[in-house]
Amino acid sequence: MCEIYASTPPPEYEQLTRSIRINGAVTSIRLEQRFWKILDELAEEEQTSTGKFISTLHNEAYSLNGEISNFASLLRVVCTTYLVNKAA
């Protein structure tokens, strides 16, 4: 049963740190490669850069919810939500 998951190629879950500018401040975000690929796809669909997409998402989430305690976790959930909606 787990073979389909266990056979995930290691590069897909290696972490990659990217520098992103949010509201003029440069910050680093560390995510697994697979999540970066999904975020790149989301940004492409929105016809923007990944950095601009993430910055806009951060600003909108902050406006709706106030403080964001773990932005990397939010990005992972955004990716899974995108995949669920895409499959529907």
Side-chain angles (χ1 to χ4, degrees), residues 39-71:
L39 289 168
D40 291 341
E41 183 178 325
L42 271 162
E44 186 176 315
E45 283 190 14
E46 295 291 324
Q47 300 177 336
T48 191
S49 68
T50 303
K52 180 70 175 167
F53 175 81
I54 290 172
S55 180
T56 300
L57 175 66
H58 179 275
N59 291 338
E60 290 180 7
Y62 186 83
S63 292
L64 289 170
N65 304 309
E67 184 180 347
I68 303 168
S69 62
N70 190 332
F71 189 55

Side-chain angles (χ1 to χ4, degrees), residues 1-7:
M1 174 181 105
C2 290
E3 187 175 330
I4 192 169
Y5 306 112
S7 65

Side-chain angles (χ1 to χ4, degrees), residues 17-52:
T17 302
R18 289 191 189 177
S19 292
I20 304 289
R21 186 175 301 273
I22 298 175
N23 296 325
V26 176
T27 188
S28 296
I29 300 173
R30 186 177 180 111
L31 295 172
E32 294 74 15
Q33 286 276 18
R34 181 163 288 176
F35 288 113
W36 283 118
K37 288 179 184 178
I38 296 166
L39 289 168
D40 291 341
E41 183 178 325
L42 271 162
E44 186 176 315
E45 283 190 14
E46 295 291 324
Q47 300 177 336
T48 191
S49 68
T50 303
K52 180 70 175 167

